[in-house]
Amino acid sequence: MAKYTLVINGQRTELDVEPNMPLLWALRDELGLIGTKYGCGIGQCGACTVHLDGVAVRACSLPVSAVGDQVITTIEGLAEGTQLHPLQEQWIAQDVAQCGYCQTGQIMSAAALLAVNVAPTDEDIDVAMAGNYCRCGTYNRIRSAIHGAAQEMGS
């Protein structure tokens, strides 16, 4: 066991966990932040996507010991208080989710894209969202919601 100080959603948190514990399990099991989902366990499906210093990463394959002093943002920290992020608003407005399991990872990947590109093309979206799998196949609605959020953020 080792002690780690992590900054998660703007709050400093102390953890005493094994260094090789995946960040996903630290978030879910140790801290109760269950919005980040377990999908494949090998970093390929995207359900576990969180941000490290604003960059989308897979939490299931990232050990806690590798986080260092990078700031972690989970889906729970994406909204500003009670004000949903434009992506979250668009996800609801465009009825993106069917089963909903992959959606937190989808939203976190899309948020990382919009943080650096407020006017993405379809190709930009396809590249940024590659590796985020939706078994229900709502990809057209996902793309539409990203474009809607981009318009909202640009205005």
Side-chain angles (χ1 to χ4, degrees):
M1 300 286 263
K3 290 190 187 283
Y4 297 94
T5 302
L6 303 177
V7 178
I8 304 169
N9 300 329
Q11 296 185 345
R12 278 194 159 337
T13 304
E14 299 286 330
L15 283 177
D16 192 11
V17 297
E18 294 294 331
N20 63 345
M21 174 183 269
L23 178 59
L24 171 68
W25 299 119
L27 293 170
R28 289 182 61 81
D29 293 349
E30 301 296 320
L31 300 172
L33 296 171
I34 59 172
T36 305
K37 304 298 184 198
Y38 173 78
C40 65
I42 57 173
Q44 292 191 359
C45 75
C48 66
T49 303
V50 298
H51 295 174
L52 278 187
D53 285 344
V55 176
V57 299
R58 306 298 200 241
C60 72
S61 56
L62 180 71
V64 171
S65 60
V67 172
D69 61 355
Q70 297 177 88
V71 174
I72 301 162
T73 305
T74 68
I75 191 73
E76 292 91 348
L78 196 58
E80 300 268 341
T82 60
Q83 177 62 47
L84 294 178
H85 187 280
L87 280 165
Q88 293 168 310
E89 291 175 347
Q90 286 294 314
W91 241 252
I92 294 165
Q94 301 207 30
D95 200 23
V96 172
Q98 284 187 21
C99 85
Y101 198 82
C102 70
Q103 298 309 301
T104 58
Q106 300 276 1
I107 290 169
M108 294 304 287
S109 290
L113 167 64
L114 292 180
V116 297
N117 183 351
V118 295
T121 64
D122 284 350
E123 185 179 341
D124 295 333
I125 292 170
D126 292 347
V127 168
M129 302 302 288
N132 281 83
Y133 298 109
C134 174
R135 123 177 225 202
C136 300
T138 65
Y139 296 111
N140 289 334
R141 285 188 268 168
I142 289 168
R143 183 184 288 143
S144 181
I146 294 169
H147 282 303
Q151 287 176 339
E152 213 176 294
M153 294 169 76
S155 55

